[in-house]
Amino acid sequence: MPALEAALSALDTLKPADITVVKYTNLTGDILLSSGTVSYLGAFTLDYRIECQKQWHILCQESKIPSSEDFTLSNTLGNQVAIRAWQIAGLPVDSFSTENGIIVFNSRRWPLMIDPQGQANKWIKNMEKANKLAVIKMTDGNYVRILENSIQFGTPVLLENVGEDLDPVLEPVLLKQTFKQQGVEYMKIGENIVEYSKGFLFYMTTGLRNPHYLPEVAVKVCLLNFMITPQGLQDQLLGLVAAKEKPELEDKKNQLILESAANNKQLKEIEDKILQVLSSSEGNILEDETAIKILSSSKILSEEISEKQKIASVTEKEIDNTRMGYRPVAEHSSILFFCISELANIEPMYQYSLSWFINLYLDSIAKSVKSDDVAKRISNISEHFTLSIYNNVCRSLFEKDKLLFSLLLTVGIMQGKGKVDDQVWRFLLTGGIALHNPYPNPAPEWLSDKSWSKIVGASKLPNLKGFFEHVQDNISKWKELYDSGTPHEDQLPDQWNELVGMDRMVVIRCFRPDKLVPAVQDFIVDNMGQAYIEPPPFDLAGSYKDSNCCSPLIFILSPGSDPTAGLLKFADDLQMGGSRTQTISLGQGQGPIAAQMIDKAIKEGTWVVLQNCHLATSWMPTLERICEETITPENTHTSFRLWLTSYPSDKFPISILQNGLKMTNEPPKGIRANLLRSYLSHPISDPAFFDSSKKQVIWQKLLFGLTFFHALVQERRNFGPLGWNIPYEFNESDQRISIRQIQMFLDEYDEVPLEALTYLTGECNYGGRVTDDKDRRLLLSLLSIFYSQESLLILRFSLFQTYVNYIRSLPICADPCVFGLHSNADITKDNQETNQLLDGVLLTLPRQAGGGAKSPQEVVDELAENILCKLPADFDVQMVNDKYPVTYEESMNTVLRQEVIRFNRYLCCYGINYSACQIPALIVNHAIVPQYVHEIYKILFD
């Protein structure tokens, strides 16, 4: 009897608690929803998938199709043993990634995974490593041969770095076009026929962030969105910080995960064994002694494993509670990564890999100040990592985008803490969207209708209720703010002076948008600190120190920037000059020569500089292959470096951008930053050079005057035609040669030859670029201020550091008077900077609805209605024809008829153009699908 009871108990193991009659009843609807998810939703984000599943679930209920109330793809198609194995192989543990894994193995089409962070790549390689996975790229010369062998022998293949087009030779593989001959299954690949093995698996990944596949490509593959989710990244970062801070706990947790996976696998094998016994037993099972013994032993083993699982679960829970103490670090760092990842929407060269991010993260954990207090330790890691990210990213950004990045970091971190009202943030960026303002402008003589509309719109924000009424009643007080030279620093009238943060910036945006940039700087300082509005100066030595032999160093060029001279000087300083640095400018036919240079340099440990990569887009795939396959740690000399220069190009290989170290070498923004860069760069930063002149006092004064003049002529470009009639690209070479001439002339002449220096600097070095005669006269007038006897009486400093400290004490934003311009000269310039900043931030925002009460559809409908209300009614052409017929006596009525038709067309086009100006911004901010825009245009046409 005990054996019989054990056998019956063993049968109970086949009825887990979650498999109930209700689940089988709901199987129809669950499988329907699962099929829809696998077939259609792979390419979409988690939020969109959930919304679609929710709507489909409602349709199932309305159609009386039984389905589970808490439907998830994991519960329906997921195998927990397989999922755990995937996670051990590197699949992120969040639900989104788990669903992706389920879709990969349940879709009838081969998966094409959108994988900019390399998560899917890593998972596939680890999971299929034991199965002799073949990794290929379409740029490989023999990839078709490798594919044929894998098809024949039934081994998996991973096709990496897929572009937006697929090789036609892959079509039979994608469509699984097989045929049988004499009972054997074959597939034709190109001109070759190979035997097709059922064990063959085919995976594809692309590093493109937002690829656009044609329908004929999309229908042949299962598109999957493997972009990392905040939850998945947080879990990874939490594991890393826990492993560094509490290594014993993390090791124990990993051990428990492996044990749990093994136990679950063993339980599954027991269930399979029991089912096999039951299916193979003949007659009465209670009379089969062998079957009874197997069932009895299975029951005992199952109970032992279950007990182990209970103990492991309790231990794992205790470990998780300890790990959770470090979760704020992971959440904070995750926010930083997604701030960085959106920069590629502004400029295609702003690409950063997850591995690069994690390396910085680990570096901050190691270098940040230690503390036994967990809260203090968390704060130290977060502060160190945030500043490290800012400094590392800033060196790869153009000057125009550095403040933008600071703002993104600040707002992203504040949003993570729940300190940002999304409605206020959206209004700050867009100024609201309103076509009709029912309230008359109280001061049209100085307040524009556009500003008044923004003021009325801002009054709908939570902390600005009654704002426009106060402006109406106190117009003189607000005019003082409007007329102020520093409205961002002045007090606001009455109770509105209590506004802080974004609410205060909204007020500045309404009245003085030209001063929004300094207001943003104050906002960043208040929330993040002074360091986040002072980008680090260009540091070639620091960038080299952070590099290694296998990661290229990339100069992102801008007009007027030329890093070659500085790079060659730096090479000389490291004894890498002369023949140890090979330089080539890429262009037609130069690719093979460059490849030979690289092959030779990686063996000898020398440097290669490839200039103007943007001019050799057809050779870029070859360069990408060289970087991935040839420049590897085992093949490359540790002293080797590959330097690349390129203007921004969407054809530049993403993998090189992500794995390389990027730098920009633009003139910094502002007089202060420009002066500081001059003094911290070669040759002035060299103490031997700074103290080398025989007339040291005059030398240092003229040196400071020249650097100030250099900053002045560069910054005047920002004022447009007020600065120069024609914008000129003055660069560091102009300054460098002028400095050398000052040094030489002072040492060779007893008197200071100001006239000769003025001619060389003003007419030759800088003036050689100037083509307009009025600009040349202006240039010489500016130079005469610094190359004069009066200028030799200023700044009686002697030490290099004293000059640097003085420069650091200057204001970040210089008054236009410094440039010899009126104080109002910067209004247009500042307005352009404000628009550039706000437009750039808008490009980085997710295309989803804000926190307002209205849905995106309601916003578009309201906008369309406002547009239509503003349009006058069309002329009745038939009525005009009847009333003013074309006769011999009234031939001009022909013109009238034509003008009526044209006017009606004008009204229609006006409506289209008006909406076309407004709706794209709306699409960016509210994720309006193109169909809504089409409907608006349709209404306008009708």
Side-chain angles (χ1 to χ4, degrees):
M1 288 299 293
L4 178 60
E5 290 176 359
L8 294 174
S9 298
L11 295 177
D12 287 338
T13 63
L14 297 177
K15 298 195 302 181
D18 60 338
I19 302 180
T20 62
V21 175
V22 175
K23 184 168 183 179
Y24 285 113
T25 303
N26 295 330
L27 201 57
T28 304
D30 290 350
I31 291 297
L32 177 62
L33 293 173
S34 299
S35 301
T37 302
V38 171
S39 299
Y40 301 113
L41 300 184
F44 297 104
T45 60
L46 176 62
D47 292 339
Y48 190 80
R49 281 188 196 174
I50 293 173
E51 181 62 26
C52 283
Q53 289 171 353
K54 180 180 176 182
Q55 296 297 326
W56 292 351
H57 191 270
I58 293 172
L59 290 174
C60 284
Q61 291 177 329
E62 292 175 351
S63 303
K64 308 299 183 186
I65 300 175
S67 57
S68 300
E69 288 294 331
D70 57 344
F71 165 81
T72 63
L73 190 65
S74 299
N75 289 341
T76 306
L77 296 180
N79 180 326
Q80 296 307 314
V81 175
I83 291 172
R84 178 64 84 175
W86 297 342
Q87 292 170 352
I88 292 172
L91 183 72
V93 299
D94 58 291
S95 60
F96 181 69
S97 299
T98 301
E99 282 194 2
N100 282 339
I102 292 171
I103 293 173
V104 166
F105 287 100
N106 284 275
S107 174
R108 296 179 62 185
R109 292 171 290 183
W110 298 125
L112 172 51
M113 293 165 271
I114 301 168
D115 184 37
Q117 288 87 32
Q119 299 287 295
N121 237 33
K122 175 184 174 183
W123 169 53
I124 296 297
K125 287 179 179 178
N126 290 337
M127 182 176 60
E128 299 288 1
K129 184 177 182 181
N131 300 325
K132 300 180 181 178
L133 174 71
V135 181
I136 59 176
K137 303 178 184 67
M138 284 198 286
T139 53
D140 296 342
N142 63 338
Y143 90 93
V144 176
R145 173 60 60 188
I146 296 173
L147 182 62
E148 290 175 354
N149 291 336
S150 297
I151 292 172
Q152 185 173 357
F153 296 112
T155 56
V157 174
L158 171 61
L159 178 60
E160 294 182 314
N161 296 350
V162 174
E164 293 185 347
D165 299 311
L166 294 179
D167 193 331
V169 78
L170 296 175
E171 185 163 340
V173 181
L174 300 179
L175 298 178
K176 299 183 181 179
Q177 292 176 339
T178 61
F179 59 92
K180 285 189 176 182
Q181 285 184 353
Q182 298 177 347
V184 180
E185 201 165 7
Y186 292 95
M187 177 178 286
K188 185 176 182 182
I189 308 293
E191 297 299 322
N192 299 326
I193 296 177
V194 296
E195 186 176 336
Y196 185 83
S197 172
K198 293 293 186 183
F200 169 71
L201 293 174
F202 189 45
Y203 307 95
M204 294 167 283
T205 61
T206 177
L208 300 176
R209 297 179 68 255
N210 189 22
H212 298 280
Y213 291 105
L214 295 174
E216 52 264 34
V217 174
V219 298
K220 297 173 187 175
V221 299
C222 175
L223 273 177
L224 275 170
N225 180 4
F226 253 95
M227 291 187 70
I228 196 165
T229 63
Q231 183 63 36
L233 181 57
Q234 284 175 23
D235 192 82
Q236 287 187 51
L237 298 178
L238 178 59
L240 291 171
V241 71
K244 293 294 182 181
E245 298 294 303
K246 303 285 184 181
E248 68 286 350
L249 287 181
E250 195 63 17
D251 290 342
K252 193 171 183 180
K253 179 175 174 62
N254 291 333
Q255 184 180 352
L256 286 173
I257 289 173
L258 293 174
E259 289 177 359
S260 176
N263 290 338
N264 285 330
K265 184 178 181 181
Q266 199 169 357
L267 282 173
K268 183 71 168 57
E269 291 173 352
I270 290 172
E271 291 179 4
D272 293 341
K273 187 176 182 181
I274 293 172
L275 288 173
Q276 184 182 4
V277 169
L278 293 174
S279 62
S280 61
S281 177
E282 297 180 359
N284 190 346
I285 190 173
L286 299 180
E287 297 175 359
D288 188 340
E289 186 176 352
T290 305
I292 292 293
K293 288 182 179 179
I294 293 174
L295 293 174
S296 178
S297 61
S298 298
K299 174 61 178 176
I300 295 170
L301 185 59
S302 175
E303 288 177 347
E304 290 177 357
I305 294 173
S306 297
E307 286 300 318
K308 289 181 182 178
Q309 284 290 82
K310 289 179 183 178
I311 297 171
S313 297
V314 173
T315 308
E316 190 172 358
K317 189 174 182 180
E318 292 174 356
I319 293 173
D320 284 340
N321 289 337
T322 305
R323 291 171 84 242
M324 282 300 169
Y326 292 93
R327 189 154 196 90
V329 175
E331 292 175 347
H332 176 89
S333 302
S334 175
I335 289 169
L336 301 186
F337 178 78
F338 286 100
C339 288
I340 295 168
S341 63
E342 296 300 331
L343 291 175
N345 292 328
I346 301 173
E347 175 57 62
M349 304 294 276
Y350 298 163
Q351 302 273 357
Y352 306 90
S353 68
L354 182 59
S355 59
W356 167 86
F357 179 84
I358 288 177
N359 287 336
L360 282 182
Y361 180 69
L362 294 173
D363 186 65
S364 290
I365 293 173
K367 294 182 179 178
S368 55
V369 179
K370 309 293 182 183
S371 176
D372 294 331
D373 183 0
V374 175
K376 181 65 176 174
R377 176 64 176 146
I378 288 172
S379 176
N380 292 341
I381 296 174
S382 298
E383 290 177 5
H384 188 282
F385 184 50
T386 305
L387 188 59
S388 175
I389 283 290
Y390 175 74
N391 289 333
N392 277 275
V393 172
C394 266
R395 70 180 168 195
S396 63
L397 301 180
F398 292 124
E399 288 298 320
K400 66 181 180 64
D401 297 323
K402 291 181 178 179
L403 181 63
L404 184 154
F405 177 56
S406 297
L407 180 60
L408 286 178
L409 277 184
T410 305
V411 174
I413 292 171
M414 292 177 67
Q415 284 176 328
K417 297 176 181 178
K419 294 183 178 180
V420 173
D421 186 320
D422 191 66
Q423 190 178 357
V424 177
W425 175 229
R426 295 281 179 172
F427 187 92
L428 177 65
L429 297 178
T430 64
I433 300 174
L435 302 179
H436 178 61
N437 184 1
Y439 304 99
N441 188 342
E445 63 277 3
W446 61 270
L447 185 63
S448 69
D449 290 339
K450 184 178 180 180
S451 295
W452 174 241
S453 294
K454 286 183 172 62
I455 293 169
V456 173
S459 301
K460 300 176 184 178
L461 300 177
N463 295 332
L464 291 170
K465 301 292 184 184
F467 177 45
F468 85 89
E469 290 92 341
H470 187 275
V471 174
Q472 281 180 322
D473 299 337
N474 300 271
I475 200 68
S476 59
K477 294 181 179 180
W478 289 101
K479 190 174 189 304
E480 292 179 9
L481 179 74
Y482 178 83
D483 291 335
S484 172
T486 56
H488 58 289
E489 297 175 354
D490 295 348
Q491 288 191 343
L492 300 181
D494 302 335
Q495 74 271 23
W496 305 106
N497 191 48
E498 299 176 4
L499 293 176
V500 294
M502 283 191 186
D503 293 316
R504 182 181 177 88
M505 287 196 292
V506 166
V507 174
I508 299 300
R509 194 194 191 314
C510 291
F511 282 95
R512 289 289 300 277
D514 58 304
K515 293 301 179 184
L516 186 60
V517 168
V520 166
Q521 290 175 331
D522 292 343
F523 174 75
I524 294 170
V525 171
D526 293 341
N527 290 280
M528 298 285 286
Q530 185 75 19
Y532 290 89
I533 62 168
E534 297 179 358
F538 176 72
D539 182 10
L540 186 56
S543 299
Y544 175 79
K545 184 179 178 182
D546 293 340
S547 69
N548 59 66
C549 60
C550 296
S551 60
L553 294 99
I554 308 162
F555 286 100
I556 307 175
L557 303 178
S558 59
S561 65
D562 182 13
T564 306
L567 176 57
L568 295 178
K569 173 62 174 64
F570 179 69
D572 290 336
D573 295 341
L574 296 182
Q575 284 76 49
M576 294 298 294
S579 61
R580 294 179 61 80
T581 297
Q582 298 292 317
T583 308
I584 186 172
S585 182
L586 294 181
Q588 188 173 5
Q590 298 300 303
I593 301 174
Q596 292 175 5
M597 284 183 177
I598 294 173
D599 286 337
K600 182 180 178 182
I602 61 176
K603 297 172 185 174
E604 299 178 353
T606 55
W607 290 3
V608 174
V609 183
L610 305 184
Q611 297 176 302
N612 301 322
C613 292
H614 59 283
L615 299 179
T617 55
S618 61
W619 190 71
M620 286 298 100
T622 305
L623 177 61
E624 182 178 23
R625 187 171 67 253
I626 291 172
C627 290
E628 292 181 352
E629 298 176 3
T630 305
I631 307 177
T632 55
E634 58 272 13
N635 298 332
T636 306
H637 194 287
T638 54
S639 298
F640 168 78
R641 291 295 184 277
L642 176 62
W643 302 82
L644 309 174
T645 72
S646 176
Y647 278 92
S649 171
D650 57 0
K651 303 297 183 184
F652 200 95
I654 293 175
S655 63
I656 297 180
L657 287 172
Q658 289 188 342
N659 297 320
L661 194 150
K662 299 177 287 297
M663 299 164 283
T664 57
N665 191 22
E666 279 189 299
K669 188 177 181 181
I671 292 287
R672 170 186 162 179
N674 219 309
L675 282 171
L676 194 61
R677 175 168 177 175
S678 295
Y679 269 78
L680 296 180
S681 301
H682 182 81
I684 302 178
S685 61
D686 183 358
F689 179 81
F690 186 78
D691 298 325
S692 63
S693 178
K694 297 176 182 177
K695 301 181 179 68
Q696 193 63 23
V697 175
I698 298 175
W699 154 247
Q700 291 183 6
K701 291 181 178 181
L702 283 176
L703 187 62
F704 183 84
L706 176 63
T707 56
F708 202 103
F709 167 76
H710 179 73
L712 201 68
V713 296
Q714 286 190 319
E715 286 297 302
R716 280 185 70 102
R717 288 181 302 182
N718 297 327
F719 292 91
L722 293 178
W724 302 104
N725 291 332
I726 302 171
Y728 304 103
E729 301 297 341
F730 302 113
N731 58 39
E732 290 182 1
S733 63
D734 302 324
Q735 178 181 250
R736 195 178 297 114
I737 188 62
S738 298
I739 290 173
R740 296 287 185 184
Q741 288 170 347
I742 293 175
Q743 182 192 43
M744 181 181 66
F745 274 61
L746 287 180
D747 290 346
E748 292 185 1
Y749 291 86
D750 294 333
E751 299 293 327
V752 181
L754 290 177
E755 186 176 348
L757 288 173
T758 300
Y759 180 82
L760 288 173
T761 302
E763 295 283 1
C764 301
N765 301 335
Y766 287 86
R769 300 181 183 275
V770 180
T771 57
D772 185 88
D773 61 325
K774 303 298 187 300
D775 285 341
R776 182 179 291 270
R777 187 171 70 177
L778 171 61
L779 182 79
L780 292 172
S781 297
L782 292 173
L783 185 60
S784 66
I785 299 173
F786 304 98
Y787 280 12
S788 65
Q789 293 295 336
E790 292 79 6
S791 70
L792 301 181
L793 303 177
I794 62 171
L795 287 182
R796 299 177 180 274
F797 302 148
S798 58
L799 298 176
F800 172 81
Q801 191 58 43
T802 310
Y803 280 94
V804 173
N805 294 338
Y806 172 74
I807 293 169
R808 291 187 188 277
S809 69
L810 298 175
I812 293 178
C813 297
D815 190 273
C817 298
V818 175
F819 303 94
L821 301 172
H822 189 270
S823 57
N824 288 338
D826 59 356
I827 292 178
T828 301
K829 173 184 76 74
D830 290 346
N831 275 324
Q832 290 175 348
E833 290 183 356
T834 296
N835 293 334
Q836 188 179 61
L837 174 68
L838 299 180
D839 291 344
V841 174
L842 281 171
L843 290 174
T844 67
L845 294 186
R847 297 190 172 191
Q848 61 186 17
K854 295 180 181 178
S855 69
Q857 292 85 347
E858 290 172 337
V859 173
V860 173
D861 291 341
E862 182 180 327
L863 179 61
E865 186 177 346
N866 287 339
I867 293 173
L868 291 174
C869 290
K870 283 184 169 289
L871 294 178
D874 288 354
F875 285 105
D876 186 340
V877 178
Q878 187 59 45
M879 181 273 292
V880 172
N881 290 343
D882 295 340
K883 190 171 182 179
Y884 303 99
V886 179
T887 63
Y888 180 80
E889 294 80 9
E890 297 291 344
S891 59
M892 290 301 291
N893 286 349
T894 301
V895 178
L896 174 62
R897 182 187 299 181
Q898 292 172 348
E899 290 301 315
V900 166
I901 294 172
R902 287 171 180 165
F903 192 81
N904 285 347
R905 288 176 182 169
Y906 167 76
L907 288 177
C908 183
C909 293
Y910 174 82
I912 294 171
N913 291 334
Y914 197 70
S915 60
C917 292
Q918 300 289 334
I919 292 170
L922 206 62
I923 294 172
V924 170
N925 296 321
H926 298 284
I928 307 304
V929 292
Q931 288 87 334
Y932 288 103
V933 181
H934 173 72
E935 290 299 322
I936 293 175
Y937 287 175
K938 184 179 177 182
I939 292 171
L940 291 171
F941 274 117
D942 291 345

